[in-house]
Amino acid sequence: MHLKSLEITGFKSFAKKAALSFNTPITGVVGPNGSGKSNVAEAFRFVLGEQSIKSLRGKRGEDLIFNGGAGTGPGGSGGGSRPNLAGVKAVFDNSKRMLNIDFDEVVIERVVHRDSSNEYFINGSLVRLKDIAELLSGAHIGASGHHIISQGEADRILNANIRERREMIEDALGLKIYQYKKAESERKLAKTEENMKSVESLRREIAPHLKFLKKQVEKVEKVEEMRGSLKTLYRDYLSREEAYIKYEKARLAGEKAAPATELAKLDADLTHAKTILSQSKNADAASREVIALEQALQTARGEKDGVVRELGKIEGEISAVSRAITKEREKQSRDDSKTIYLRDVEAIVKRVFEIDSLDDIRKLLKEFVATHRAGGGSADSASAIADFEKDSRDLSAKKAALEADLKKASEKEASTNEEYTALRQKIELEKDTNREAEKNVFKIIARQNELRGVLAGIKNGEDRLVLAEESFKRDIEDARILVGREAIDYEKIEFGATVSVADSAAVSTARHEQEDRRRQIEKIKIRIEDSGAGNGADVMKEYKEAEERDVFLARELADLEKSKESLVQLINDLVNRLDVEFKNGISKINAQFQNFFSLMFGGGNASLEVVREKKRKRRPDTDLDLSDEAMNEEASENMEEEEEGEEGIDIHVNLPRKKVKGLMMLSGGERALTSIALLFAISQVNPPPFIILDETDAALDEANSRKYGDMITSLSQYSQLILITHNRETMSRAGVLYGVTMGSDGASKLLSIAFDEAVAVAK
Ligand code: ATP
């Protein structure tokens, strides 16, 4: 027993809570017309998720809520309280897990509010309609309602078009779950394809940028390559340049040393020579000194000569005095008395002093003596001798003094002469030295000029080297910036090691090669600059990011492609499975259909056929209903173009003993019987937990009612039956009977009743 109970609150005519328990295989619901029996069947449809308010005999959701009794307006006296919502609960025994949910009892509930909003619950938890539909479809009690046959709908399956029939049968066969899965997969597929499209368009959007970046990266890589060769070139160039500069420095320093030293020495020599020459300027002073010395010498000589003359005069006087003495003494001896007056003598002395010439002095003195001899006497001779001797003594003293003077004068003359001679010699010597010095100065200056020329050449070389060094430093900086530290991390080489210092040709060849290298470097530098590649690292980073993004998108696309494939596969599988199970189900139903049909009609044939809907292009606005074979035939005659459409179910009947073929030709009762046969056949193949039949038996006569009753009994072995009926035969088959009555308040009431009561109530 799967369906346990139904609880109706505020739904349609059920103003107050009413509950039905389904403890027997067959439950009958009986009651007079308009009491609310069909509302019970509708309560089932409602709670199982029926979305068509129309099929629940309403226009809006509000119509499903109890709105007061007939004849009494809203809030009227007879209606009692009016609920704001209608709710129906269906309680299932799920101990056999008929419903795919892990509860022994499942309560499905639906509530509709006045604003037509609906709420669905499973075991009290708010859920979506979809959840209810999926849960129920697993138990073959889906929304198509094939197991709930409403009043006047006994031949619903016959009236339905082939597509609707197919849906009903699919539902009954429990294939709806595959349909749901298929629809779900198709939705997912559409979503996947949509995602693929957006990923593809994203990739398309990225593509040009990526292409641009790739080109940039290629440029950067090219530049990197150029930098690589630039590095090698730089290393080679710089190491050689450094070695060259070192070598040149050493060479120039070496070349410079000797001339520089010589020049320094020459400077000293020149200074010396110049000093000598400047000293010659003192020659004038020396000349003046010589002249002065000459004068001094002359003076000294003059003085000496004077003294000599004086001395000679004194010596003459002395000899004159001594001769006079001698003469006197002789005269004394003969003429001692001769007297010479003093005044005469003094006069003569005075005259002597005035005469320079000795001869004159002698002549004077002879005359004096002769004069005085003639008149002399002996008395005077003695005093004369004494006077002479006195004179002689005076004169000798004078002479001694003069001799001392002479010595002095001679000495002075000698020393002055010596001085003079020394000075002269010195002057002579100086003259020689100066001439030599002059010659030297010219020689030195000439050599100096020569050396300066050499040094200027060297300086020129040094200046060039300074420039080369500066340029080398700039190159190092350039290399560092352009290529990085590696470029300047070159191996040091010794220039002299590869090129002989003496071999200037080799040096010049090396310089040429070096210039070639330099040109090469410049060329590459220009090419790097011209490449216009921006910051390599940035470009690489951006490219990497863009590429990663693209790769990510490609992977995403591949994933989507994969899930698309698996979805397509799943859909195909589902379609195949549906097809197989559907056709399988149809053949099983056909066997049962034939069985029930011949039971009902005592023979004849009935079968279902899977057909394809025909689409007509000529009249596209025509509402297609291919349920009618005749029409179908007619249509196929008239239509020129036909297309294969959806699969559907056609019904073929062949009544016994009648030439009647086709549903159109059946009577109302026959239609009802055929319909019931098919319904029962379907229910036999895949029994739903319960079947609700609302006056399906209304059109049956007594004989057929019995057959109907028999079928119900056998059907009740597989499904619970809830039968709304006025039929006595049907009532007799029910284990429990509920009576529905409606009071003056317009509200339906439910009560469990006995068969006899039911028969009475039904009438
Ligand atoms: P019959 O035997 O003639 O088929 P029935 O017992 O099946 O009758 P129903 O069709 O179930 O009767 O009930 C119809 C009754 O329900 C009507 O009297 C109608 O007024 C009442 N009804 C329908 N909707 C509402 C509603 N929203 N509020 C109150 N009463 C309602």
PDB file of all heavy atoms in Angstrom, residues 11-14 31-40 57 62-70 151 694-695 724 726 740 742 746 748, ligand 1:
ATOM      1  N   PHE A  11      -9.334  23.807   0.170  1.00  0.00           N
ATOM      2  CA  PHE A  11      -9.288  23.600  -1.272  1.00  0.00           C
ATOM      3  C   PHE A  11     -10.705  23.444  -1.817  1.00  0.00           C
ATOM      4  O   PHE A  11     -11.453  22.570  -1.380  1.00  0.00           O
ATOM      5  CB  PHE A  11      -8.438  22.369  -1.566  1.00  0.00           C
ATOM      6  CG  PHE A  11      -8.248  22.091  -3.032  1.00  0.00           C
ATOM      7  CD1 PHE A  11      -7.329  22.814  -3.800  1.00  0.00           C
ATOM      8  CD2 PHE A  11      -9.014  21.105  -3.677  1.00  0.00           C
ATOM      9  CE1 PHE A  11      -7.163  22.548  -5.139  1.00  0.00           C
ATOM     10  CE2 PHE A  11      -8.841  20.844  -5.028  1.00  0.00           C
ATOM     11  CZ  PHE A  11      -7.916  21.573  -5.765  1.00  0.00           C
ATOM     12  N   LYS A  12     -11.017  24.332  -2.744  1.00  0.00           N
ATOM     13  CA  LYS A  12     -12.348  24.314  -3.380  1.00  0.00           C
ATOM     14  C   LYS A  12     -13.467  24.247  -2.335  1.00  0.00           C
ATOM     15  O   LYS A  12     -13.514  25.071  -1.436  1.00  0.00           O
ATOM     16  CB  LYS A  12     -12.412  23.145  -4.371  1.00  0.00           C
ATOM     17  CG  LYS A  12     -11.504  23.383  -5.584  1.00  0.00           C
ATOM     18  CD  LYS A  12     -12.119  22.814  -6.808  1.00  0.00           C
ATOM     19  CE  LYS A  12     -11.727  23.547  -8.059  1.00  0.00           C
ATOM     20  NZ  LYS A  12     -12.382  22.934  -9.213  1.00  0.00           N
ATOM     21  N   SER A  13     -14.306  23.226  -2.444  1.00  0.00           N
ATOM     22  CA  SER A  13     -15.457  23.197  -1.538  1.00  0.00           C
ATOM     23  C   SER A  13     -15.093  22.691  -0.138  1.00  0.00           C
ATOM     24  O   SER A  13     -15.933  22.710   0.760  1.00  0.00           O
ATOM     25  CB  SER A  13     -16.576  22.331  -2.150  1.00  0.00           C
ATOM     26  OG  SER A  13     -16.074  21.043  -2.421  1.00  0.00           O
ATOM     27  N   PHE A  14     -13.858  22.247   0.025  1.00  0.00           N
ATOM     28  CA  PHE A  14     -13.483  21.742   1.348  1.00  0.00           C
ATOM     29  C   PHE A  14     -12.978  22.876   2.243  1.00  0.00           C
ATOM     30  O   PHE A  14     -11.794  23.142   2.341  1.00  0.00           O
ATOM     31  CB  PHE A  14     -12.435  20.625   1.225  1.00  0.00           C
ATOM     32  CG  PHE A  14     -12.987  19.368   0.635  1.00  0.00           C
ATOM     33  CD1 PHE A  14     -12.959  19.159  -0.733  1.00  0.00           C
ATOM     34  CD2 PHE A  14     -13.600  18.414   1.463  1.00  0.00           C
ATOM     35  CE1 PHE A  14     -13.507  18.014  -1.278  1.00  0.00           C
ATOM     36  CE2 PHE A  14     -14.147  17.269   0.896  1.00  0.00           C
ATOM     37  CZ  PHE A  14     -14.111  17.059  -0.478  1.00  0.00           C
ATOM     38  N   GLY A  31     -21.359  10.207  -3.398  1.00  0.00           N
ATOM     39  CA  GLY A  31     -22.062  11.386  -2.915  1.00  0.00           C
ATOM     40  C   GLY A  31     -22.942  11.955  -3.997  1.00  0.00           C
ATOM     41  O   GLY A  31     -22.784  11.604  -5.184  1.00  0.00           O
ATOM     42  N   PRO A  32     -23.870  12.824  -3.604  1.00  0.00           N
ATOM     43  CA  PRO A  32     -24.779  13.385  -4.601  1.00  0.00           C
ATOM     44  C   PRO A  32     -24.047  14.359  -5.538  1.00  0.00           C
ATOM     45  O   PRO A  32     -22.925  14.777  -5.243  1.00  0.00           O
ATOM     46  CB  PRO A  32     -25.814  14.126  -3.760  1.00  0.00           C
ATOM     47  CG  PRO A  32     -25.260  14.247  -2.395  1.00  0.00           C
ATOM     48  CD  PRO A  32     -24.132  13.293  -2.243  1.00  0.00           C
ATOM     49  N   ASN A  33     -24.710  14.682  -6.618  1.00  0.00           N
ATOM     50  CA  ASN A  33     -24.122  15.625  -7.580  1.00  0.00           C
ATOM     51  C   ASN A  33     -23.794  16.946  -6.890  1.00  0.00           C
ATOM     52  O   ASN A  33     -24.557  17.441  -6.087  1.00  0.00           O
ATOM     53  CB  ASN A  33     -25.098  15.908  -8.727  1.00  0.00           C
ATOM     54  CG  ASN A  33     -25.307  14.676  -9.616  1.00  0.00           C
ATOM     55  OD1 ASN A  33     -26.429  14.314  -9.955  1.00  0.00           O
ATOM     56  ND2 ASN A  33     -24.226  14.027  -9.950  1.00  0.00           N
ATOM     57  N   GLY A  34     -22.650  17.460  -7.219  1.00  0.00           N
ATOM     58  CA  GLY A  34     -22.257  18.774  -6.699  1.00  0.00           C
ATOM     59  C   GLY A  34     -21.796  18.796  -5.261  1.00  0.00           C
ATOM     60  O   GLY A  34     -21.558  19.862  -4.687  1.00  0.00           O
ATOM     61  N   SER A  35     -21.650  17.614  -4.688  1.00  0.00           N
ATOM     62  CA  SER A  35     -21.230  17.599  -3.276  1.00  0.00           C
ATOM     63  C   SER A  35     -19.740  17.862  -3.096  1.00  0.00           C
ATOM     64  O   SER A  35     -19.291  18.218  -2.021  1.00  0.00           O
ATOM     65  CB  SER A  35     -21.615  16.260  -2.649  1.00  0.00           C
ATOM     66  OG  SER A  35     -20.946  15.212  -3.321  1.00  0.00           O
ATOM     67  N   GLY A  36     -18.981  17.670  -4.171  1.00  0.00           N
ATOM     68  CA  GLY A  36     -17.526  17.964  -4.084  1.00  0.00           C
ATOM     69  C   GLY A  36     -16.639  16.756  -4.306  1.00  0.00           C
ATOM     70  O   GLY A  36     -15.438  16.790  -3.989  1.00  0.00           O
ATOM     71  N   LYS A  37     -17.166  15.669  -4.918  1.00  0.00           N
ATOM     72  CA  LYS A  37     -16.380  14.441  -5.146  1.00  0.00           C
ATOM     73  C   LYS A  37     -15.217  14.711  -6.112  1.00  0.00           C
ATOM     74  O   LYS A  37     -14.073  14.309  -5.869  1.00  0.00           O
ATOM     75  CB  LYS A  37     -17.278  13.330  -5.723  1.00  0.00           C
ATOM     76  CG  LYS A  37     -18.440  12.912  -4.845  1.00  0.00           C
ATOM     77  CD  LYS A  37     -19.199  11.748  -5.415  1.00  0.00           C
ATOM     78  CE  LYS A  37     -19.870  12.024  -6.765  1.00  0.00           C
ATOM     79  NZ  LYS A  37     -20.923  13.058  -6.701  1.00  0.00           N
ATOM     80  N   SER A  38     -15.581  15.395  -7.216  1.00  0.00           N
ATOM     81  CA  SER A  38     -14.524  15.657  -8.220  1.00  0.00           C
ATOM     82  C   SER A  38     -13.424  16.544  -7.634  1.00  0.00           C
ATOM     83  O   SER A  38     -12.263  16.474  -8.065  1.00  0.00           O
ATOM     84  CB  SER A  38     -15.111  16.322  -9.454  1.00  0.00           C
ATOM     85  OG  SER A  38     -15.970  15.418 -10.091  1.00  0.00           O
ATOM     86  N   ASN A  39     -13.843  17.347  -6.665  1.00  0.00           N
ATOM     87  CA  ASN A  39     -12.823  18.195  -6.024  1.00  0.00           C
ATOM     88  C   ASN A  39     -11.747  17.357  -5.335  1.00  0.00           C
ATOM     89  O   ASN A  39     -10.598  17.787  -5.193  1.00  0.00           O
ATOM     90  CB  ASN A  39     -13.482  19.140  -5.009  1.00  0.00           C
ATOM     91  CG  ASN A  39     -14.334  20.206  -5.704  1.00  0.00           C
ATOM     92  OD1 ASN A  39     -14.150  20.436  -6.904  1.00  0.00           O
ATOM     93  ND2 ASN A  39     -15.240  20.841  -4.968  1.00  0.00           N
ATOM     94  N   VAL A  40     -12.182  16.142  -4.923  1.00  0.00           N
ATOM     95  CA  VAL A  40     -11.202  15.242  -4.288  1.00  0.00           C
ATOM     96  C   VAL A  40     -10.166  14.808  -5.348  1.00  0.00           C
ATOM     97  O   VAL A  40      -8.953  14.872  -5.122  1.00  0.00           O
ATOM     98  CB  VAL A  40     -11.909  14.010  -3.669  1.00  0.00           C
ATOM     99  CG1 VAL A  40     -10.858  13.007  -3.164  1.00  0.00           C
ATOM    100  CG2 VAL A  40     -12.814  14.440  -2.539  1.00  0.00           C
ATOM    101  N   ARG A  57     -10.661  23.322 -13.175  1.00  0.00           N
ATOM    102  CA  ARG A  57     -11.928  24.066 -13.289  1.00  0.00           C
ATOM    103  C   ARG A  57     -11.867  25.419 -12.554  1.00  0.00           C
ATOM    104  O   ARG A  57     -12.741  25.776 -11.787  1.00  0.00           O
ATOM    105  CB  ARG A  57     -13.108  23.217 -12.772  1.00  0.00           C
ATOM    106  CG  ARG A  57     -13.388  21.990 -13.632  1.00  0.00           C
ATOM    107  CD  ARG A  57     -14.555  21.209 -13.098  1.00  0.00           C
ATOM    108  NE  ARG A  57     -14.246  20.659 -11.782  1.00  0.00           N
ATOM    109  CZ  ARG A  57     -15.155  20.176 -10.938  1.00  0.00           C
ATOM    110  NH1 ARG A  57     -16.430  20.209 -11.256  1.00  0.00           N
ATOM    111  NH2 ARG A  57     -14.798  19.682  -9.784  1.00  0.00           N
ATOM    112  N   GLU A  62      -6.734  31.710  -7.153  1.00  0.00           N
ATOM    113  CA  GLU A  62      -7.656  32.069  -6.083  1.00  0.00           C
ATOM    114  C   GLU A  62      -8.924  31.215  -6.127  1.00  0.00           C
ATOM    115  O   GLU A  62      -9.517  30.922  -5.079  1.00  0.00           O
ATOM    116  CB  GLU A  62      -8.022  33.558  -6.240  1.00  0.00           C
ATOM    117  CG  GLU A  62      -8.636  34.134  -4.993  1.00  0.00           C
ATOM    118  CD  GLU A  62      -8.971  35.622  -5.123  1.00  0.00           C
ATOM    119  OE1 GLU A  62      -8.695  36.197  -6.197  1.00  0.00           O
ATOM    120  OE2 GLU A  62      -9.489  36.169  -4.156  1.00  0.00           O
ATOM    121  N   ASP A  63      -9.288  30.810  -7.357  1.00  0.00           N
ATOM    122  CA  ASP A  63     -10.504  30.007  -7.512  1.00  0.00           C
ATOM    123  C   ASP A  63     -10.380  28.651  -6.833  1.00  0.00           C
ATOM    124  O   ASP A  63     -11.379  27.965  -6.608  1.00  0.00           O
ATOM    125  CB  ASP A  63     -10.818  29.801  -9.000  1.00  0.00           C
ATOM    126  CG  ASP A  63     -11.135  31.126  -9.698  1.00  0.00           C
ATOM    127  OD1 ASP A  63     -11.530  32.072  -8.980  1.00  0.00           O
ATOM    128  OD2 ASP A  63     -10.967  31.203 -10.931  1.00  0.00           O
ATOM    129  N   LEU A  64      -9.152  28.258  -6.541  1.00  0.00           N
ATOM    130  CA  LEU A  64      -8.945  26.949  -5.918  1.00  0.00           C
ATOM    131  C   LEU A  64      -9.135  27.022  -4.399  1.00  0.00           C
ATOM    132  O   LEU A  64      -9.200  26.007  -3.722  1.00  0.00           O
ATOM    133  CB  LEU A  64      -7.529  26.434  -6.223  1.00  0.00           C
ATOM    134  CG  LEU A  64      -7.167  26.319  -7.709  1.00  0.00           C
ATOM    135  CD1 LEU A  64      -5.744  25.792  -7.866  1.00  0.00           C
ATOM    136  CD2 LEU A  64      -8.146  25.392  -8.430  1.00  0.00           C
ATOM    137  N   ILE A  65      -9.232  28.248  -3.888  1.00  0.00           N
ATOM    138  CA  ILE A  65      -9.391  28.411  -2.438  1.00  0.00           C
ATOM    139  C   ILE A  65     -10.888  28.520  -2.119  1.00  0.00           C
ATOM    140  O   ILE A  65     -11.641  29.172  -2.857  1.00  0.00           O
ATOM    141  CB  ILE A  65      -8.639  29.674  -1.963  1.00  0.00           C
ATOM    142  CG1 ILE A  65      -7.151  29.579  -2.355  1.00  0.00           C
ATOM    143  CG2 ILE A  65      -8.780  29.856  -0.452  1.00  0.00           C
ATOM    144  CD1 ILE A  65      -6.395  30.877  -2.192  1.00  0.00           C
ATOM    145  N   PHE A  66     -11.268  27.855  -1.061  1.00  0.00           N
ATOM    146  CA  PHE A  66     -12.684  27.881  -0.655  1.00  0.00           C
ATOM    147  C   PHE A  66     -13.161  29.321  -0.555  1.00  0.00           C
ATOM    148  O   PHE A  66     -12.529  30.142   0.109  1.00  0.00           O
ATOM    149  CB  PHE A  66     -12.852  27.167   0.693  1.00  0.00           C
ATOM    150  CG  PHE A  66     -14.277  27.186   1.191  1.00  0.00           C
ATOM    151  CD1 PHE A  66     -15.238  26.343   0.602  1.00  0.00           C
ATOM    152  CD2 PHE A  66     -14.676  28.041   2.216  1.00  0.00           C
ATOM    153  CE1 PHE A  66     -16.552  26.370   1.041  1.00  0.00           C
ATOM    154  CE2 PHE A  66     -15.995  28.066   2.657  1.00  0.00           C
ATOM    155  CZ  PHE A  66     -16.945  27.233   2.072  1.00  0.00           C
ATOM    156  N   ASN A  67     -14.235  29.610  -1.285  1.00  0.00           N
ATOM    157  CA  ASN A  67     -14.675  31.011  -1.298  1.00  0.00           C
ATOM    158  C   ASN A  67     -16.085  31.186  -0.761  1.00  0.00           C
ATOM    159  O   ASN A  67     -16.840  32.032  -1.207  1.00  0.00           O
ATOM    160  CB  ASN A  67     -14.531  31.615  -2.691  1.00  0.00           C
ATOM    161  CG  ASN A  67     -15.473  30.972  -3.697  1.00  0.00           C
ATOM    162  OD1 ASN A  67     -16.250  30.085  -3.320  1.00  0.00           O
ATOM    163  ND2 ASN A  67     -15.426  31.416  -4.930  1.00  0.00           N
ATOM    164  N   GLY A  68     -16.438  30.381   0.187  1.00  0.00           N
ATOM    165  CA  GLY A  68     -17.742  30.541   0.799  1.00  0.00           C
ATOM    166  C   GLY A  68     -18.792  29.679   0.114  1.00  0.00           C
ATOM    167  O   GLY A  68     -18.570  29.221  -1.021  1.00  0.00           O
ATOM    168  N   GLY A  69     -19.849  29.479   0.801  1.00  0.00           N
ATOM    169  CA  GLY A  69     -20.879  28.603   0.285  1.00  0.00           C
ATOM    170  C   GLY A  69     -21.677  29.251  -0.835  1.00  0.00           C
ATOM    171  O   GLY A  69     -21.598  30.467  -1.024  1.00  0.00           O
ATOM    172  N   ALA A  70     -22.384  28.437  -1.608  1.00  0.00           N
ATOM    173  CA  ALA A  70     -23.183  28.947  -2.709  1.00  0.00           C
ATOM    174  C   ALA A  70     -24.273  29.851  -2.174  1.00  0.00           C
ATOM    175  O   ALA A  70     -24.883  29.557  -1.158  1.00  0.00           O
ATOM    176  CB  ALA A  70     -23.795  27.771  -3.486  1.00  0.00           C
ATOM    177  N   GLN A 151     -13.716  13.314 -14.393  1.00  0.00           N
ATOM    178  CA  GLN A 151     -15.077  13.112 -14.864  1.00  0.00           C
ATOM    179  C   GLN A 151     -15.194  13.573 -16.314  1.00  0.00           C
ATOM    180  O   GLN A 151     -14.691  14.630 -16.671  1.00  0.00           O
ATOM    181  CB  GLN A 151     -16.022  13.951 -14.000  1.00  0.00           C
ATOM    182  CG  GLN A 151     -17.453  13.567 -14.166  1.00  0.00           C
ATOM    183  CD  GLN A 151     -18.328  14.345 -13.195  1.00  0.00           C
ATOM    184  OE1 GLN A 151     -17.896  15.319 -12.588  1.00  0.00           O
ATOM    185  NE2 GLN A 151     -19.564  13.913 -13.026  1.00  0.00           N
ATOM    186  N   ASP A 694     -12.635   8.993 -11.966  1.00  0.00           N
ATOM    187  CA  ASP A 694     -13.801   9.811 -11.593  1.00  0.00           C
ATOM    188  C   ASP A 694     -14.951   9.530 -12.554  1.00  0.00           C
ATOM    189  O   ASP A 694     -14.981  10.039 -13.681  1.00  0.00           O
ATOM    190  CB  ASP A 694     -13.390  11.287 -11.638  1.00  0.00           C
ATOM    191  CG  ASP A 694     -14.476  12.194 -11.043  1.00  0.00           C
ATOM    192  OD1 ASP A 694     -15.564  11.671 -10.703  1.00  0.00           O
ATOM    193  OD2 ASP A 694     -14.228  13.405 -10.931  1.00  0.00           O
ATOM    194  N   GLU A 695     -15.851   8.696 -12.121  1.00  0.00           N
ATOM    195  CA  GLU A 695     -17.049   8.328 -12.877  1.00  0.00           C
ATOM    196  C   GLU A 695     -16.727   7.851 -14.287  1.00  0.00           C
ATOM    197  O   GLU A 695     -17.405   8.170 -15.264  1.00  0.00           O
ATOM    198  CB  GLU A 695     -18.031   9.511 -12.919  1.00  0.00           C
ATOM    199  CG  GLU A 695     -18.545   9.848 -11.516  1.00  0.00           C
ATOM    200  CD  GLU A 695     -19.646  10.903 -11.509  1.00  0.00           C
ATOM    201  OE1 GLU A 695     -20.487  10.852 -12.406  1.00  0.00           O
ATOM    202  OE2 GLU A 695     -19.624  11.758 -10.614  1.00  0.00           O
ATOM    203  N   ILE A 724     -14.339   7.319  -7.880  1.00  0.00           N
ATOM    204  CA  ILE A 724     -15.466   8.211  -7.616  1.00  0.00           C
ATOM    205  C   ILE A 724     -16.598   7.696  -8.497  1.00  0.00           C
ATOM    206  O   ILE A 724     -16.417   7.561  -9.725  1.00  0.00           O
ATOM    207  CB  ILE A 724     -15.100   9.657  -7.971  1.00  0.00           C
ATOM    208  CG1 ILE A 724     -13.945  10.129  -7.070  1.00  0.00           C
ATOM    209  CG2 ILE A 724     -16.322  10.583  -7.847  1.00  0.00           C
ATOM    210  CD1 ILE A 724     -13.281  11.381  -7.529  1.00  0.00           C
ATOM    211  N   HIS A 726     -21.023   6.569  -9.043  1.00  0.00           N
ATOM    212  CA  HIS A 726     -22.438   6.435  -8.657  1.00  0.00           C
ATOM    213  C   HIS A 726     -22.878   4.990  -8.885  1.00  0.00           C
ATOM    214  O   HIS A 726     -24.005   4.619  -8.622  1.00  0.00           O
ATOM    215  CB  HIS A 726     -23.315   7.351  -9.540  1.00  0.00           C
ATOM    216  CG  HIS A 726     -23.127   8.807  -9.263  1.00  0.00           C
ATOM    217  ND1 HIS A 726     -23.596   9.393  -8.115  1.00  0.00           N
ATOM    218  CD2 HIS A 726     -22.539   9.790  -9.977  1.00  0.00           C
ATOM    219  CE1 HIS A 726     -23.297  10.688  -8.133  1.00  0.00           C
ATOM    220  NE2 HIS A 726     -22.626  10.964  -9.282  1.00  0.00           N
ATOM    221  N   VAL A 740     -19.430  11.966   0.459  1.00  0.00           N
ATOM    222  CA  VAL A 740     -19.212  13.412   0.436  1.00  0.00           C
ATOM    223  C   VAL A 740     -20.582  14.096   0.430  1.00  0.00           C
ATOM    224  O   VAL A 740     -21.441  13.749  -0.393  1.00  0.00           O
ATOM    225  CB  VAL A 740     -18.415  13.849  -0.806  1.00  0.00           C
ATOM    226  CG1 VAL A 740     -18.123  15.341  -0.749  1.00  0.00           C
ATOM    227  CG2 VAL A 740     -17.151  13.054  -0.939  1.00  0.00           C
ATOM    228  N   MET A 742     -22.660  17.978   1.048  1.00  0.00           N
ATOM    229  CA  MET A 742     -22.478  19.430   1.129  1.00  0.00           C
ATOM    230  C   MET A 742     -23.654  20.025   1.882  1.00  0.00           C
ATOM    231  O   MET A 742     -24.804  19.791   1.519  1.00  0.00           O
ATOM    232  CB  MET A 742     -22.399  20.053  -0.259  1.00  0.00           C
ATOM    233  CG  MET A 742     -22.090  21.539  -0.220  1.00  0.00           C
ATOM    234  SD  MET A 742     -21.843  22.215  -1.840  1.00  0.00           S
ATOM    235  CE  MET A 742     -20.155  21.830  -2.135  1.00  0.00           C
ATOM    236  N   GLY A 746     -22.306  25.367   2.004  1.00  0.00           N
ATOM    237  CA  GLY A 746     -21.526  25.234   0.764  1.00  0.00           C
ATOM    238  C   GLY A 746     -20.199  24.564   0.970  1.00  0.00           C
ATOM    239  O   GLY A 746     -19.358  24.565   0.075  1.00  0.00           O
ATOM    240  N   SER A 748     -18.025  21.129   1.666  1.00  0.00           N
ATOM    241  CA  SER A 748     -18.128  19.670   1.561  1.00  0.00           C
ATOM    242  C   SER A 748     -17.690  19.031   2.878  1.00  0.00           C
ATOM    243  O   SER A 748     -16.794  19.538   3.559  1.00  0.00           O
ATOM    244  CB  SER A 748     -17.240  19.158   0.429  1.00  0.00           C
ATOM    245  OG  SER A 748     -17.660  19.700  -0.800  1.00  0.00           O
TER     246      SER A 748
HETATM  247  P1  ATP B   1     -21.255  15.392  -9.705  1.00  0.00           P
HETATM  248  O1  ATP B   1     -21.690  14.147  -9.015  1.00  0.00           O
HETATM  249  O2  ATP B   1     -22.412  16.146 -10.276  1.00  0.00           O
HETATM  250  O3  ATP B   1     -20.091  15.282 -10.608  1.00  0.00           O
HETATM  251  P2  ATP B   1     -19.468  16.292  -7.694  1.00  0.00           P
HETATM  252  O4  ATP B   1     -19.752  15.711  -6.364  1.00  0.00           O
HETATM  253  O5  ATP B   1     -18.325  15.794  -8.422  1.00  0.00           O
HETATM  254  O6  ATP B   1     -20.746  16.396  -8.547  1.00  0.00           O
HETATM  255  P3  ATP B   1     -17.926  18.696  -7.662  1.00  0.00           P
HETATM  256  O7  ATP B   1     -17.815  19.013  -9.085  1.00  0.00           O
HETATM  257  O8  ATP B   1     -16.744  17.984  -7.008  1.00  0.00           O
HETATM  258  O9  ATP B   1     -19.208  17.834  -7.411  1.00  0.00           O
HETATM  259  O10 ATP B   1     -18.187  19.937  -6.800  1.00  0.00           O
HETATM  260  C1  ATP B   1     -18.650  21.062  -7.318  1.00  0.00           C
HETATM  261  C2  ATP B   1     -19.060  21.903  -6.145  1.00  0.00           C
HETATM  262  O11 ATP B   1     -17.899  22.488  -5.559  1.00  0.00           O
HETATM  263  C3  ATP B   1     -19.949  23.008  -6.580  1.00  0.00           C
HETATM  264  O12 ATP B   1     -21.080  23.066  -5.728  1.00  0.00           O
HETATM  265  C4  ATP B   1     -19.112  24.239  -6.461  1.00  0.00           C
HETATM  266  O13 ATP B   1     -19.861  25.361  -6.079  1.00  0.00           O
HETATM  267  C5  ATP B   1     -18.151  23.865  -5.346  1.00  0.00           C
HETATM  268  N1  ATP B   1     -16.961  24.668  -5.462  1.00  0.00           N
HETATM  269  C6  ATP B   1     -16.081  24.657  -6.477  1.00  0.00           C
HETATM  270  N2  ATP B   1     -15.098  25.513  -6.229  1.00  0.00           N
HETATM  271  C7  ATP B   1     -15.373  26.087  -5.011  1.00  0.00           C
HETATM  272  C8  ATP B   1     -14.748  27.056  -4.210  1.00  0.00           C
HETATM  273  N3  ATP B   1     -13.608  27.643  -4.567  1.00  0.00           N
HETATM  274  N4  ATP B   1     -15.324  27.400  -3.012  1.00  0.00           N
HETATM  275  C9  ATP B   1     -16.477  26.801  -2.603  1.00  0.00           C
HETATM  276  N5  ATP B   1     -17.068  25.924  -3.329  1.00  0.00           N
HETATM  277  C10 ATP B   1     -16.544  25.538  -4.523  1.00  0.00           C
END
